[in-house]
Amino acid sequence: MVMRTLFCWRTFNSSISVLQVLLKPLTSHAFYCKPSLGESYQKEAIFLLQRLYHDGRPRGPLWRGKKLIGKEALFVIQGLKRFKENEEKLDKFTKLHVLRLLKMDKIAVLNELERQEEVGLAFKMFNIIKKENWYKPDVYVYKDLVVALARRQKMEEAMRVWESLKGDELFPDSQTYAEVIRGFLRYGSPADAMNIYEDMKKSPYPPEELPFRILLKGLLPHPLLRNRVKQDFLELFPERHIYDPLEETFGMQ
């Protein structure tokens, strides 16, 4: 039955595009053989035609999950990941393929590298984008990169991005402050976490609880620093409760 269906397809004028064939009902063309074939055989014929006329695009989850990423951007992402351990090949690949990408492709590459937690490559891509004539400081671009670097505990790179953000006179949101503070506390650098906290206090946006609570928990081994944060927290949120392990355990006032 499949061979019979294919024979019917061959009798159709080959000059009509595959797209036209798929869009129009099968019963409207002269190549439609017999109604007895039924709907199941019509679907089978369409499936076979789709396999014969492959348009070259990736199929399956890879394509459906990355519809906004062009083929050039996907090629660049794969190449950057392939050569990330070889600085010489990475620089050569960057000059040949990355620099010639269009604006939206470069942004798509940056976002996808962040999503895949390839933060070293994302940091490199961010520096490339900053040198473009069309680049304008965007707090959300900074935020995504800083959060990605902080979560991977790449704090030196995170601070470079942070200083660049401050240089552009931008202020991130509470989530960004919280992630960077958490990153420094995990990295074992409470002094840097406090520096970020001081920057947060200068922000024009209203303060939120999350960064304070992360600091209060992370600074338990550092009571002097914790007391400073605690006083600020009680002034800003007088109705909120702070869990103090020593007070709860030993009844200290």
Side-chain angles (χ1 to χ4, degrees):
M1 194 63 69
V2 174
M3 296 297 298
R4 185 177 178 183
T5 305
L6 287 175
F7 175 78
C8 296
W9 282 108
R10 290 175 181 173
T11 60
F12 184 66
N13 189 350
S14 60
S15 62
I16 299 180
S17 68
V18 178
L19 182 59
Q20 291 174 327
V21 174
L22 294 177
L23 291 177
K24 294 181 180 180
L26 291 175
T27 55
S28 65
H29 297 299
F31 67 85
Y32 182 73
C33 293
K34 288 184 179 181
S36 60
L37 288 177
E39 184 179 354
S40 62
Y41 296 111
Q42 295 175 20
K43 292 180 179 179
E44 189 173 320
I46 292 175
F47 173 75
L48 290 171
L49 185 65
Q50 288 174 336
R51 294 192 62 181
L52 289 173
Y53 294 90
H54 194 283
D55 58 3
R57 295 183 303 174
R59 297 188 181 273
L62 175 65
W63 181 252
R64 288 198 298 270
K66 301 176 182 177
K67 289 182 179 179
L68 299 180
I69 303 179
K71 294 180 182 179
E72 287 291 330
L74 286 174
F75 172 76
V76 165
I77 292 169
Q78 294 169 356
L80 291 173
K81 292 167 64 176
R82 185 184 306 119
F83 299 124
K84 65 180 179 180
E85 302 298 335
N86 189 318
E87 193 66 30
E88 182 179 352
K89 291 184 178 180
L90 183 62
D91 289 340
K92 183 177 180 181
F93 181 84
T94 300
K95 293 176 182 178
L96 289 176
H97 300 287
V98 179
L99 296 180
R100 68 185 185 89
L101 286 177
L102 299 176
K103 172 183 176 179
M104 296 309 299
D105 283 334
K106 288 180 179 177
I107 295 175
V109 169
L110 173 62
N111 293 335
E112 183 61 20
L113 290 173
E114 291 171 351
R115 190 189 70 82
Q116 296 184 19
E117 296 187 347
E118 294 286 349
V119 293
L121 295 174
F123 181 67
K124 183 178 183 68
M125 194 70 202
F126 173 75
N127 288 328
I128 292 173
I129 290 176
K130 280 193 64 178
K131 297 177 182 178
E132 297 291 338
N133 294 330
W134 47 261
Y135 171 77
K136 294 182 180 179
D138 188 329
V139 67
Y140 295 103
V141 174
Y142 278 112
K143 171 190 171 181
D144 292 341
L145 183 57
V146 169
V147 170
L149 290 167
R151 286 177 176 172
R152 298 290 292 178
Q153 297 188 20
K154 300 288 186 180
M155 303 313 299
E156 292 183 6
E157 292 86 348
M159 282 309 299
R160 292 178 194 170
V161 178
W162 189 269
E163 292 300 326
S164 181
L165 180 149
K166 290 172 58 180
D168 289 331
E169 298 181 351
L170 299 175
F171 292 92
D173 60 8
S174 180
Q175 180 194 3
T176 308
Y177 284 114
E179 291 294 339
V180 177
I181 289 172
R182 182 185 282 116
F184 275 121
L185 292 173
R186 289 177 177 174
Y187 195 65
S189 182
D192 289 325
M194 290 298 294
N195 290 335
I196 301 299
Y197 171 70
E198 295 297 330
D199 288 342
M200 183 182 72
K201 291 168 63 176
K202 302 174 184 177
S203 173
Y205 303 118
E208 297 185 18
E209 288 187 45
L210 181 60
F212 286 91
R213 293 199 176 277
I214 291 174
L215 267 173
L216 290 170
K217 181 179 179 180
L219 292 176
L220 284 174
H222 310 278
L224 294 179
L225 295 177
R226 188 174 187 273
N227 284 335
R228 286 172 51 189
V229 178
K230 180 180 177 180
Q231 291 176 2
D232 293 339
F233 179 84
L234 292 176
E235 290 178 3
L236 293 169
F237 308 98
E239 298 180 357
R240 300 297 184 181
H241 176 71
I242 298 177
Y243 172 67
D244 290 315
L246 292 178
E247 294 181 7
E248 297 287 342
T249 305
F250 301 107
M252 297 178 61
Q253 299 296 329

